[in-house]
Amino acid sequence: MIKLGVNVDHIATIRQARQGVEPDPVQAAVLAELAGADGITIHLREDRRHINDRDVRVIKEVARTKLNLEMAATDEMVKIALSTKPDQATLVPEKRQELTTEGGLDCVGLMSALQTVVNLLQGGEIEVSLFIDPDLEQVKAASRLRADGVEIHTGSYANAWPDGDWADELDKIRNACNYAAKLKLKVYAGHGLNYRNIKPLLAIKDISEVNIGHSIIARASLVGISRAVGEMKSLLG
Ligand code: PXP
């Protein structure tokens, strides 16, 4: 069975809309684990637009499953990772203006800079995963970097769903996952996955874990509305 890492960044996005204390991504992480999540993923962005330094520290303390910290390969983030010690760090490219992570990391072009970061994190006993496009050259480069695993970017597949050439995109993902598994990398996948487009992905046996954020938090906000409204109505008598 494919494991599920739940990304709780969007809970922090709602909190930041009022710059207050609720909803708390720490509580969301605990509830996700109680519901069966196999891991918690958070992205500490350079601009702290959602998850902040306190969230990373507290989630690390309370999480009982696997904590996966998504981060840019910068000195600041390496320092934070080495002091917080998540179970895994996923290196992602980061641009200030983007709404979400747009593309995979260029492991081919950034080989020597990434090697330093991979070595530092692994030296701190943090597993390193590289978020890459489903491209065989990138998989090969991730293996040369001696990463522990790769997360294959499923964004193009998700964008092509259901009316575009998603089957071609799925083939690219399958080939990349297969090659990564042959190179003894752990194989993860994520970005844009939802309750519908997840199904064809289940046929790719090399994937051990998916990371899903937006669709789970979006659904939670809707399936929780009746209860939240009911509770307020009963307070009003
Ligand atoms: N994996 C990575 C590396 C990501 O950057 C993100 C988005 O933060 C996700 C998975 C989750 O994507 P989504 O929110 O679209 O499910």
Side-chain angles (χ1 to χ4, degrees), residues 72-144:
T74 62
D75 291 348
E76 183 201 14
M77 290 301 151
V78 168
K79 208 182 279 175
I80 291 169
L82 288 175
S83 67
T84 339
K85 302 256 184 207
D87 302 286
Q88 178 181 302
T90 298
L91 299 181
V92 299
E94 197 173 298
K95 292 191 213 123
R96 260 179 191 252
Q97 302 310 323
E98 67 191 356
L99 290 178
T100 180
T101 314
E102 281 167 358
L105 204 56
D106 180 8
C107 298
V108 178
L110 301 171
M111 181 73 79
S112 70
L114 287 175
Q115 189 66 75
T116 307
V117 173
V118 171
N119 292 349
L120 282 168
L121 292 169
Q122 287 176 336
E125 295 182 353
I126 299 167
E127 284 203 4
V128 179
S129 172
L130 303 173
F131 184 53
I132 55 171
D133 289 329
D135 173 319
L136 301 188
E137 288 305 312
Q138 294 294 340
V139 176
K140 198 193 289 178
S143 168
R144 284 180 55 203

Side-chain angles (χ1 to χ4, degrees), residues 5 7 9-10 41-43 45 50 68 70 90-93 100-102 130-132 151-154 158 189-194 210-216:
N7 180 318
D9 292 352
H10 286 327
T41 292
I42 45 179
H43 185 175
R45 296 185 78 101
H50 39 52
N68 172 33
E70 289 178 13
T90 298
L91 299 181
V92 299
T100 180
T101 314
E102 281 167 358
L130 303 173
F131 184 53
I132 55 171
E151 179 174 337
I152 301 297
H153 194 326
T154 50
H191 214 284
L193 298 177
N194 62 35
V210 288
N211 280 307
I212 305 182
H214 186 87
S215 70
I216 289 179

Side-chain angles (χ1 to χ4, degrees), residues 1-225:
M1 189 168 155
I2 297 182
K3 290 188 171 169
L4 174 63
V6 176
N7 180 318
V8 296
D9 292 352
H10 286 327
I11 295 292
T13 302
I14 301 174
R15 175 188 63 191
Q16 294 315 108
R18 291 287 169 93
Q19 299 189 348
V21 294
E22 66 175 15
D24 190 338
V26 175
Q27 293 175 326
V30 171
L31 289 171
E33 287 190 335
L34 287 174
D38 301 291
I40 300 298
T41 292
I42 45 179
H43 185 175
L44 183 67
R45 296 185 78 101
E46 189 192 14
D47 62 9
R48 309 299 198 268
R49 70 170 75 151
H50 39 52
I51 293 293
N52 61 32
D53 300 63
R54 166 266 181 196
D55 300 333
V56 179
R57 278 196 311 276
V58 183
I59 291 176
K60 164 64 192 174
E61 224 176 286
V62 302
R64 293 279 172 271
T65 58
K66 165 179 159 183
L67 175 60
N68 172 33
L69 177 66
E70 289 178 13
M71 53 179 265
T74 62
D75 291 348
E76 183 201 14
M77 290 301 151
V78 168
K79 208 182 279 175
I80 291 169
L82 288 175
S83 67
T84 339
K85 302 256 184 207
D87 302 286
Q88 178 181 302
T90 298
L91 299 181
V92 299
E94 197 173 298
K95 292 191 213 123
R96 260 179 191 252
Q97 302 310 323
E98 67 191 356
L99 290 178
T100 180
T101 314
E102 281 167 358
L105 204 56
D106 180 8
C107 298
V108 178
L110 301 171
M111 181 73 79
S112 70
L114 287 175
Q115 189 66 75
T116 307
V117 173
V118 171
N119 292 349
L120 282 168
L121 292 169
Q122 287 176 336
E125 295 182 353
I126 299 167
E127 284 203 4
V128 179
S129 172
L130 303 173
F131 184 53
I132 55 171
D133 289 329
D135 173 319
L136 301 188
E137 288 305 312
Q138 294 294 340
V139 176
K140 198 193 289 178
S143 168
R144 284 180 55 203
L145 284 163
R146 295 182 301 282
D148 298 280
V150 286
E151 179 174 337
I152 301 297
H153 194 326
T154 50
S156 299
Y157 161 74
N159 288 338
W161 179 274
D163 300 319
D165 51 2
W166 63 268
D168 291 346
E169 295 297 335
L170 190 68
D171 277 344
K172 287 184 205 161
I173 295 171
R174 183 183 295 108
N175 291 338
C177 290
N178 190 258
Y179 188 38
K182 277 204 182 100
L183 295 176
K184 307 275 182 248
L185 290 158
K186 293 181 183 176
V187 184
Y188 313 119
H191 214 284
L193 298 177
N194 62 35
Y195 292 79
R196 290 193 173 81
N197 66 23
I198 190 71
K199 286 185 189 142
L201 216 69
L202 303 181
I204 303 180
K205 299 298 174 206
D206 295 309
I207 299 175
S208 63
E209 187 177 302
V210 288
N211 280 307
I212 305 182
H214 186 87
S215 70
I216 289 179
I217 303 304
R219 194 178 189 90
S221 73
L222 292 182
V223 298
I225 280 189

